[in-house]
Amino acid sequence: MTEKTKQTAKKYGILAAVFLVFLGIICGLSYLNALLRKQPFISSAQRVCTACPQLQNKSIVIADFIKPARLGFLSRNVLSAKADGKEAWIFFIPMTGKYGIYSGIFFYEAGESCIFCGLDGKDQSVPADYYGITQNTIAMQKVKIEKMMKKYLR
């Protein structure tokens, strides 16, 4: 090997090392993000579901995210839960309103109809209509969730 070839190989080696370090940092941050993103969703779902009048008499225990690819869900933010011992799911569905996009939280219990609990991060005493989320939009999302879950639960 000539001196020029050694210098070129050294430069490419340094470039490859820098690239691998950046790749490692990106993978590490992605893994850390996956660990840290779970808790805000769970606490938000717990807060909104306990404020929902239709779910006042149920004890809801939220478990974890479920894999959306396996089920073909409308949203990748779906939590599994238990409501009085029965299997249930909590959906975070993006909905466009008057002032932007909001996450609507829907509760589906096996064998029951879908319930709209409220909007994530908003005052639950204010109706969703105030934010531009109409009852038709909510009803449409409920129908989608119920159809999808009937397929899944077969």
Side-chain angles (χ1 to χ4, degrees), residues 12-28:
Y12 281 122
I14 292 171
L15 179 66
V18 167
F19 178 74
L20 289 175
V21 166
F22 281 129
L23 185 65
I25 289 171
I26 289 172
C27 289

Side-chain angles (χ1 to χ4, degrees), residues 61-76:
V61 178
I62 300 171
D64 201 0
F65 282 107
I66 56 176
K67 302 285 186 220
R70 182 178 129 234
L71 304 171
F73 284 132
L74 304 167
S75 170
R76 64 187 185 108

Side-chain angles (χ1 to χ4, degrees), residues 16-128:
V18 167
F19 178 74
L20 289 175
V21 166
F22 281 129
L23 185 65
I25 289 171
I26 289 172
C27 289
L29 289 175
S30 175
Y31 179 73
L32 187 62
N33 181 36
L35 291 176
L36 295 177
R37 79 182 266 273
K38 180 184 356 177
Q39 190 54 42
F41 278 100
I42 290 174
S43 63
S44 179
Q46 191 73 44
R47 182 178 41 77
V48 173
C49 287
T50 53
C52 182
Q54 294 105 324
L55 300 175
Q56 287 294 323
N57 57 353
K58 293 186 186 235
S59 71
I60 299 169
V61 178
I62 300 171
D64 201 0
F65 282 107
I66 56 176
K67 302 285 186 220
R70 182 178 129 234
L71 304 171
F73 284 132
L74 304 167
S75 170
R76 64 187 185 108
N77 298 324
V78 180
L79 297 167
S80 63
K82 294 267 186 203
D84 294 333
K86 290 173 69 177
E87 196 171 18
W89 294 268
I90 298 171
F91 294 83
F92 286 79
I93 305 291
M95 297 187 297
T96 304
K98 198 176 355 178
Y99 306 112
I101 298 174
Y102 301 100
S103 284
I105 299 179
F106 292 85
F107 181 85
Y108 183 84
E109 189 175 355
E112 303 282 329
S113 63
C114 187
I115 298 170
F116 174 70
C117 296
L119 297 175
D120 183 24
K122 301 297 174 195
D123 184 11
Q124 299 307 311
S125 63
V126 177

